[in-house]
Every structure is written in structure tokens, then in C-alpha cells.
Amino acid sequence: MNVFTVDHELCRKDGICALVCPVHIIDAEPGSYPVLDKHKAVYCLSCGQCMAFCPTLACTAPGLEREDCRPLSAQDMPTPRQADELAFSRRSVRNFKDKTIPREDLIDLLEAVRFAPTAKNTQNLRWILLESRERVVQLAELVVAWMRELPRIDPELDEAMHAGGLVRAWD
Ligand code: SF4
Ligand code: SF4
């Protein structure tokens, strides 16, 4: 049974979806509509690559919706110069404005971050969003309290991460 939805009105039978699928589970015979057998579907990574590369928005992978995988837009890609500038200008920021970032902006950022690569698209990361300065300080205090205990509970880790120096800097 084919579990790969293909709009026959739109599909050009060019096999691009099969070509770009990272786990090669889509079968595309020349001149035929692509097929994804339900026995192979268990290997689908839900990466949406087939949908993003389809030139006519004809296909939908199992478990994904069209809005999960917007098509790629060549004109929105950074130029080599812009990509270089972005990499070059990255810095570790340690001073922050005392200004609250709107929740919608944070949600948008997290949505973008979600597309960072993870092995087999497992996205096995969890983010904790602290929306007030007070909560950030509270969390820092908890971490410092843990570091104070490190010499007793894990002397090796204490030494490796120079926890004593970090605690002194905090105090
Ligand atoms: S990439 Fe799109 S148009 Fe091409 S074969 Fe697959 S579904 Fe059809
Ligand atoms: S969503 Fe599934 S079928 Fe589509 S490219 Fe990714 S792994 Fe292949």
C-alpha cells in the first residue's frame, strides 16, 4: 500500500522526491508516480525533504502536513558573502539588555532552532524557556548551589570544570 500521497494532477514523475530522500525509501520508476510502501514507511525520518524539494508541491510524506515543510525559496537563501558575514560575526554575548523579549519572538526562534540537524531527525532536545530575569537568576543560583556540592559528590567533575573558580566568581 502506498502511504506517500501524490497529487497526480501536479506530479511530473521526475523522481526528485526519491532522489533526495536520505533513507531511499521512495520508489520512483521512470515515468511513474512515486510510491512509498507501508513496510518501508517505518524508516521515514519525517524530515520532509521529499516535500521541500518537490517542484510542484505534489507529494506528502506519511504523518506530515504541507505546512510542516514549506518549499525552499532560492531568493531567500543568503549569498555566499552573507553566509560568510554571519559566521564571521558570531560572538558569545555575556551582557544583555534588561528588556523582555516578546513571547511570540521566542516561539518563532524556537521553531527555527528546531530545524537544526539532529541524528535521524530525532530532535531529542528539550528547551527550558525562562521569560523573566528573576527566573534566570534563580536558575543560576541553583546551578551554583550544585557546584558548591561538587567537591563532595563528584571531585573529578569538580576539577574538570573548575567549579571552585566559577563559584568564587559568582560570590
Ligand atoms: S518530486 Fe514531486 S513532482 Fe517529482 S516525482 Fe516526486 S511527487 Fe512527483
Ligand atoms: S519525509 Fe520520509 S519519505 Fe520524505 S524524504 Fe524524509 S525520510 Fe524520505
Side-chain angles (χ1 to χ4, degrees):
M1 183 181 131
N2 185 14
V3 291
F4 188 67
T5 313
V6 179
D7 184 329
H8 289 192
E9 297 286 315
L10 297 174
C11 181
R12 294 182 190 166
K13 304 176 185 171
D14 53 29
I16 292 175
C17 47
L19 199 65
V20 299
C21 173
V23 284
H24 306 293
I25 52 176
I26 303 171
D27 296 313
E29 298 298 323
S32 300
Y33 298 113
V35 172
L36 173 46
D37 188 274
K38 78 168 180 190
H39 300 296
K40 291 185 180 175
V42 290
Y43 301 106
C44 176
L45 308 178
S46 300
C47 65
Q49 189 132 293
C50 48
M51 296 162 68
F53 276 82
C54 175
T56 59
L57 308 180
C59 58
T60 312
L64 290 178
E65 302 291 336
R66 167 80 26 230
E67 50 276 14
D68 294 327
C69 310
R70 61 176 187 230
L72 303 181
S73 158
Q75 68 265 27
D76 288 335
M77 293 287 179
T79 62
R81 175 79 193 97
Q82 288 168 329
D84 179 60
E85 189 64 18
L86 192 61
F88 180 75
S89 61
R90 193 211 68 79
R91 293 288 182 272
S92 295
V93 177
R94 296 284 185 268
N95 296 295
F96 302 95
K97 291 180 182 167
D98 191 8
K99 187 176 150 196
T100 305
I101 299 171
R103 178 165 246 264
E104 313 80 71
D105 291 354
L106 293 171
I107 300 291
D108 282 351
L109 278 170
L110 285 178
E111 261 305 301
V113 163
R114 209 165 64 76
F115 286 87
T118 53
K120 294 187 176 173
N121 194 29
T122 48
Q123 300 191 26
N124 54 352
L125 296 167
R126 295 292 174 269
W127 298 87
I128 297 174
L129 197 57
L130 303 176
E131 291 182 81
S132 73
R133 173 70 86 182
E134 293 72 35
R135 296 288 282 166
V136 173
V137 172
Q138 255 179 1
L139 180 64
E141 283 169 348
L142 286 172
V143 174
V144 172
W146 167 75
M147 284 185 192
R148 287 188 205 283
E149 295 299 315
L150 262 187
R152 184 177 58 79
I153 57 180
D154 193 339
E156 260 180 53
L157 180 61
D158 176 59
E159 200 176 313
M161 63 183 289
H162 307 294
L166 294 170
V167 171
R168 278 194 296 281
W170 173 267
D171 289 340

